[in-house]
Amino acid sequence: MSRAERFGAGIGIAILLFYIASTTQLIDKANALTLALAFAIGPVAIVGVRRLADTLEPDLKGATLGTARLFLVVAFILFTVMVVVQQMVGLQFQQFLAQAPDPASTQALRVVYRGVNLVQLGLDVSFDIFYCLGVIALGATVYQHPSFGRLVGGLGIVSGAALLMINLAAFPKVPVEVGLVDVGPVTGLWWLLLIGLQIRRRRQNPPSLVAA
């Protein structure tokens, strides 16, 4: 791997670890750094998905990889919109509550916030739909690839399908509100495994034999 490729892989892994930490509530305090990292997840993920698809494409035939790439790009566009709306609404309402002149105004703001917050929750479900379908399609793609194998591909298919079914079963609430487990972090760990195997694959193959 070139120095640029190692740097890109490192950035991708760092962003992915931040995503896993945020979804498991290990990081929940908004500041300039965490906001910048949260806003970077979508764009970095889109670049990573396209790069991964480009390196896999010469070895594969069929429409599964193209479907995975399309669904995942749409998913991370929606993810970026969701995160920006989520943080904008949350931070602005914190300021509104701090400036509320009396308890009645505070209560009214909290009611309004619950209604407005449904917008980002709806965007979150939209992201989940495209993300899960993309993970399933990508899992089906790497299932056929000798550098990844059936175990890795099967894990992607199963985790993506489980996440989709859980979110749709809980709709319009989030899974934890109805006693279901959020398996989103499991797909994050799957991405770490996929990236690790891709790094190994790039090291084992001369650049001239792997699509750029």
Side-chain angles (χ1 to χ4, degrees):
M1 293 179 69
S2 68
R3 182 176 300 177
E5 288 174 329
R6 289 195 297 270
F7 178 76
I11 293 294
I13 291 171
I15 292 292
L16 184 54
L17 289 173
F18 172 79
Y19 166 74
I20 295 173
S22 62
T23 55
T24 53
Q25 305 302 313
L26 295 177
I27 299 175
D28 59 3
K29 184 177 180 181
N31 54 49
L33 176 60
T34 58
L35 285 176
L37 289 171
F39 294 163
I41 290 174
V44 170
I46 289 172
V47 172
V49 165
R50 291 179 61 84
R51 178 66 179 175
L52 176 63
D54 287 344
T55 60
L56 292 176
E57 198 162 25
D59 302 326
L60 296 167
K61 295 180 180 179
T64 309
L65 180 59
T67 300
R69 176 166 42 194
L70 176 60
F71 280 1
L72 288 169
V73 167
V74 172
F76 285 109
I77 291 172
L78 288 169
F79 180 85
T80 303
V81 175
M82 183 269 292
V83 170
V84 172
V85 170
Q86 178 191 71
Q87 295 303 318
M88 175 69 76
V89 171
L91 293 173
Q92 289 284 25
F93 267 90
Q94 285 180 16
Q95 182 178 349
F96 296 157
L97 288 169
Q99 297 172 347
D102 52 62
S105 298
T106 299
Q107 182 60 29
L109 282 169
R110 286 174 176 163
V111 172
V112 172
Y113 172 77
R114 286 198 295 270
V116 173
N117 194 50
L118 295 176
V119 175
Q120 68 92 7
L121 292 177
L123 288 169
D124 191 12
V125 176
S126 300
F127 158 72
D128 285 332
I129 292 171
F130 282 94
Y131 174 74
C132 292
L133 292 175
V135 168
I136 292 169
L138 186 56
T141 298
V142 300
Y143 186 89
Q144 319 168 47
H145 199 289
S147 296
F148 300 95
R150 295 182 177 183
L151 180 61
V152 176
L155 179 59
I157 294 170
V158 171
S159 61
L163 180 60
L164 181 60
M165 288 187 293
I166 287 172
N167 277 279
L168 293 180
F171 187 83
K173 297 183 178 181
V174 297
V176 293
E177 291 181 350
V178 296
L180 297 175
V181 178
D182 182 6
V183 297
V186 175
T187 65
L189 295 174
W190 178 75
W191 279 107
L192 280 177
L193 176 61
L194 197 64
I195 291 171
L197 291 173
Q198 173 67 354
I199 291 173
R200 185 184 70 175
R201 175 173 176 260
R202 291 286 288 175
R203 286 176 175 172
Q204 292 176 343
N205 290 273
S208 60
L209 299 180
V210 180

